[in-house]
Amino acid sequence: MENHTLTVENCKRVTATSVISVDSFSDRQLVLGIQDGRIVVQGSGMKIVNFSKSTGAFSAAGEITSVRYLKKGSAIRQKLFG
Amino acid sequence: MLREDLRNVAIIAHVDHGKTTLVDAMLKQSHTFRDNQPVEERVMDSNDLERERGITILAKNTSVHYKGVKINIVDTPGHADFSGEVERVMMMVNGVLVLVDAAEGPMPQTRFVVQKALEMGHRLIIVVNKIDRPDARLSEVQDEILELLLELDASDDQLMSPVVWCSGRDGTATLDPTQPGKDLCPLFDTILSHILPMEADTEGPAQLLCSSIDYNDYVGRIGIGRIERGSVRQGQSVVVANYNDVHLKNPGKIVNLYQIEGLERVPCEEAKAGDIVCFSGLEKINIGDTVCVPDCVEPKKFVKITEPTVEMTFSVNDSPFAGKEGKWVTTRHLRDRLFRELLKDVSLRVEETGSADSYRVCGRGEMHLSILIESMRREGYEFQVSTPKVMYKDIDGVRYEPMERLIIDVPDESTGAVFQSMGNRKGELLHMSAVGSRTRLEFIIPARGLFGYKSEFLTSTKGEGVMNSVFFEYQPYKGEISRRTTGSLVAFETGEAVTYGLFNAQGRGALFIGAGTPVYEGMVIGESPKSEDINVNVCKTKHLTNTRSSASDEALRLITPKKMSLEECLEFIADDELLEITPKNIRIRKRILDSELRAKARAKEKKQA
């Protein structure tokens, strides 16, 4: 994960770099694609503020409760529901 | 020689950003109309289809005089599907006014057309229009324009383009948004100062590039274009040549020569380099041809027009009701009309198919072809069309398909629904940003994925969403996209639909027709929620006996039929269906009308699959 950074401010705003894609999005969960896998951000009232595929910059706002990194190949369903 | 007395300017903008209204105001303020002369609302949109849809389809020329300088104004089409017109117009002008709505900001069509203008090195004047709108975002829009120019690698000179803040409706312009304007003089002055006069060689051998074509029953074909070099006289003998076709050398004579004054074409004896003229007498003149003098035949390079990406099959109407409503119904009528359209529309392509009754028509999008269909329908033509398909390409054995850049602007709460649809239609997110309480998303999506999406999009965003797409490039095939999941309700008897029959049919799905509508076997009269087609008999009347009288029919309540527009019908028809177009009606029908033959064909298909 070269130069990938992720910051969460006061559990209200998440900002990340080197994001390749936004795989799915709802007001309770965001799934972002990065080079080596995925990031799952969960919370409530989630709203994507900015994303640019060319620069890889991403930011979203809402009540953030968890951020989870998933390696490539690990099934999301298994990780989410144990 | 510097043509100080002349400026040739095009106006470029997105659909509905007020381009033609601003031209109307410029014409009024330059006294082209006498004060007491009644002026219709949208002077430049001459055909009613354009007025109804509020978009410019054909680029038109007009001119005004300001401080002794003649300003030729060319209005360009606002919709991405007509960009063949825009590219040609760029050849006639030296500068462009880039019109942007003060609330919506730059949208796809603006991006596409500004890119064409920048590529040709034209000077730009940014006109932020509709500043009288309550939801105007003046500073953000200015930043968005700068961002657009940066993204399109504008030169430093183009980046420093002047900005004029206008209200086309009120006819005012100002260079400082905080100071309200009184009239359009700031705009006229900026045109004179920023758009450089053309450097024209009026002595050399004549060279006139034809950028547009018109047709008139009296003088025949009229070419429109700018004189690139030398001068042209009425009655002069010339040779027509083409840069891409070295063998083309048609001798001829310019019978009539016109210049444009206001909205009229005024005959003139002579015109010189820089002037935009109309000329007739050369029957074989075509867009992209150059008119030269016989002793110096030197055709001018012509800008490459991007190719069509969507095709449909136009064929002679062979339904049971054929020939009843149309004036022009035969294959020769259809062929002549389609090939005549080619003369005026560079982005269109018409090819003959194996059958003498059908023609393959290719255009730049669903809207482009639906406007051609609507125009022909109003002229009295009767024909049928197939469902739109994209035009694939094979490059090194790999199947490529056309991709579109789609910009969507929706309220926040609809973002999820749009994301969902885009996932199903193989759209790839490029960019997403919050714009006030709305979200702007940018996708790259297969053209095929956009078929039928417009109505779904408006439903999912409760009519508040704005979507625009423009051709991006060809990319490898993205795989299967499921189009229509519903089936059709098909009438299996010819006759007239009656309430009793419709009442039973409406239980199976949404109906498109009401009582009293003539139907024929194989005609699609509704949509069924299941994926299979259902044959229904809407002509079935109630079996009358001494106890069941006909009067009790009134008790049956019919749900109001869903009236489908031409675009909705084009989105709805499946591969095994056709759209019957007549001046009075638009009917959907099955390719195979007979229900048994249709069942056999489907069974055979399933066996092969």
Side-chain angles (χ1 to χ4, degrees), chain B residues 560-578:
Chain B
T560 322
K562 177 178 162 191
K563 284 292 171 221
M564 301 252 279
S565 70
L566 174 60
E567 279 78 24
E568 282 162 337
C569 288
L570 286 175
E571 283 173 16
F572 176 79
I573 51 176
D575 291 340
D576 67 340
E577 288 165 353
L578 293 172

Side-chain angles (χ1 to χ4, degrees), chain A residues 20-26 47-54, chain B residues 412 415-416 419 428-434 436-439:
Chain A
I20 298 173
S21 64
V22 176
D23 295 343
S24 88
F25 150 77
S26 74
K47 174 189 174 194
I48 294 179
V49 173
N50 178 42
F51 163 69
S52 170
K53 188 180 176 71
S54 47
Chain B
D412 287 348
T415 316
F419 226 82
E428 185 197 346
L429 181 67
L430 269 193
H431 183 81
M432 184 165 177
S433 57
S437 65
R438 294 171 70 91
T439 302

